[in-house]
Amino acid sequence: MKLAIVHGGLTAIDMVRRALSTDREVEILWTAGDSTRAMAQARQERPEAALVSASLDRAAVLVRVLTDELDCPVIVLSDGSSTAKAGTFELMSAGAVDVIVLPGLASGTGDAAAVRGKLALLRRLAGRDNASHKSVPPMRAAPIRPAIIAIGASTGGPQALATVLAALPAQLEAAVLIVQHIDPQFSEGMAQWLARSTPFTVELATQGVQPRGGVVYVAAVGQHMVVETDGTLAFTSRPREAAHKPSIDVLFTSLIKRSRPGVAVLLTGMGRDGAQGLAQLRAAGWRTIAQDEATSVVYGMPKAAAELKAAAHVLPLPQIGPAIVRLVEELDRPPPRPA
């Protein structure tokens, strides 16, 4: 894979070079220190994938050129500062699919291995069309009683979540619970960034909160988010063997015994997290949706759900938000039987 690195610091570029020095499948095609030079270089010598600093001026413009014009997948490089965290989600909105935190590269081989894992993702995405998706105008409001909308996402998820939330009208009486696989220090920044996309209030979920209509609750990273039998949010370290904390499956399965079914959604992402839980929710009478292959950045989790027939509706991203609204309105009707 021919890789471009765009960063204003030579030390950072050298750090990435060292982390990738043992990966024979990666060739660093070129590097650039600013967005303007990178755009000119990319048009002259198109990379198959790119790493772009969140701190660069005009970085979002560069990401749009790479993803939309050149079909080049992008991962963000962040130094972990508050400015870079804010910039990270701007770049994800522009089309970037994941983030690497640079200070972690200096801490040992484990972090370098994680970087190589993310580059393996870029190799899978290289050459694919990752065009951005516009949100669809919202439909009419739901019933007076609050409902639960549970959403799980991974790679490519922040941008997909923003699209879905943008289609939910302010008057929708539902609480949204989100599990997004992301590096730990970005949970709060993602919540703040998603708040720009929706009329709902967006906040990090906290222990003991009773979900309220019109509020999006984002699970922080490090523990599983669950819904207790009394309807309040709680956090647990079990199961310890889960590949992700928080786990989408753990959230979904905690909702099975809820007296009133809701709507559960599985968006773009690698792996199978959420597929089994979605299947169990469908069997329990929940309305279930999975993102389709054409609009998924990575068709892993939604594909696993489709194979299990866990999703009653497999939809392109722009249709998911309006479908959620429609399904919330239908919650008091008998659910369709699984095929």
Side-chain angles (χ1 to χ4, degrees):
M1 176 180 66
K2 296 181 179 180
L3 180 71
I5 304 172
V6 188
H7 198 289
L10 293 177
T11 300
I13 291 175
D14 186 56
M15 191 184 301
V16 177
R17 283 186 183 275
R18 290 198 307 271
L20 302 179
S21 60
T22 60
D23 192 334
R24 296 182 179 180
E25 295 186 36
V26 175
E27 173 193 346
I28 298 179
L29 185 63
W30 51 262
T31 66
D34 62 72
S35 298
T36 301
R37 291 180 183 178
M39 282 185 275
Q41 185 70 28
R43 288 178 173 127
Q44 181 179 351
E45 194 173 9
R46 177 188 172 278
E48 294 176 322
L51 304 179
V52 175
S53 170
S55 302
L56 290 174
D57 290 339
R58 302 186 72 213
V61 177
L62 170 60
V63 170
R64 289 190 182 95
V65 168
L66 290 168
T67 58
D68 294 349
E69 180 181 328
L70 302 177
D71 293 336
C72 172
V74 174
I75 284 182
V76 181
L77 293 174
S78 172
D79 62 12
S81 67
S82 57
T83 300
K85 288 178 184 178
T88 294
F89 293 101
E90 293 296 338
L91 299 196
M92 286 188 172
S93 179
V97 297
D98 209 336
V99 58
I100 293 169
V101 183
L102 282 172
L105 290 182
S107 66
T109 57
D111 291 292
V115 171
R116 288 194 292 272
K118 292 186 178 184
L119 289 180
L121 164 66
L122 282 183
R123 283 195 290 272
R124 289 180 56 186
L125 298 179
R128 284 186 46 177
D129 181 7
N130 291 313
S132 59
H133 307 290
K134 297 180 180 180
S135 60
V136 175
M139 298 176 68
R140 62 190 181 89
I144 295 175
R145 286 194 300 156
I148 293 293
I149 302 166
I151 307 177
S154 186
T155 307
Q159 186 179 12
L161 287 167
T163 298
V164 170
L165 294 179
L168 304 184
Q171 66 270 33
L172 184 68
E173 278 295 326
V176 182
L177 310 181
I178 290 176
V179 169
Q180 163 70 50
H181 300 161
I182 198 166
D183 287 336
Q185 60 186 292
F186 289 96
S187 298
E188 184 174 0
M190 186 180 72
Q192 294 171 353
W193 177 75
L194 286 175
R196 305 177 195 174
S197 304
T198 175
F200 280 34
T201 300
V202 181
E203 58 188 53
L204 283 182
T206 54
Q207 180 78 24
V209 166
Q210 183 76 45
R212 307 186 313 275
V215 181
V216 176
Y217 300 89
V218 177
V221 177
Q223 286 192 306
H224 303 302
M225 180 170 71
V226 297
V227 178
E228 300 281 26
T229 54
D230 64 358
T232 59
L233 300 182
F235 298 89
T236 178
S237 59
R238 298 180 184 276
R240 299 184 188 278
E241 66 273 13
H244 301 281
K245 286 187 179 179
S247 161
I248 303 166
D249 271 325
V250 172
L251 171 63
F252 282 1
T253 55
S254 76
L255 293 164
I256 292 170
K257 295 182 179 179
R258 184 175 169 85
S259 59
R260 187 189 181 203
V263 178
V265 182
L266 197 56
L267 299 175
T268 174
M270 187 179 297
R272 301 183 62 87
D273 189 24
Q276 286 285 353
L278 195 72
Q280 293 179 54
L281 284 176
R282 186 179 184 189
W286 281 59
R287 275 52 172 178
T288 55
I289 301 172
Q291 189 173 349
D292 73 354
E293 181 175 9
T295 63
S296 293
V297 172
V298 176
Y299 192 55
M301 300 185 326
K303 179 182 179 182
E307 290 172 347
L308 292 174
K309 298 185 178 178
H313 309 274
V314 177
L315 300 173
L317 181 61
Q319 295 180 22
I320 291 176
I324 290 173
V325 178
R326 183 180 69 253
L327 293 172
V328 167
E329 294 176 337
E330 298 174 354
L331 284 175
D332 290 325
R333 304 176 195 171
R337 292 183 175 274

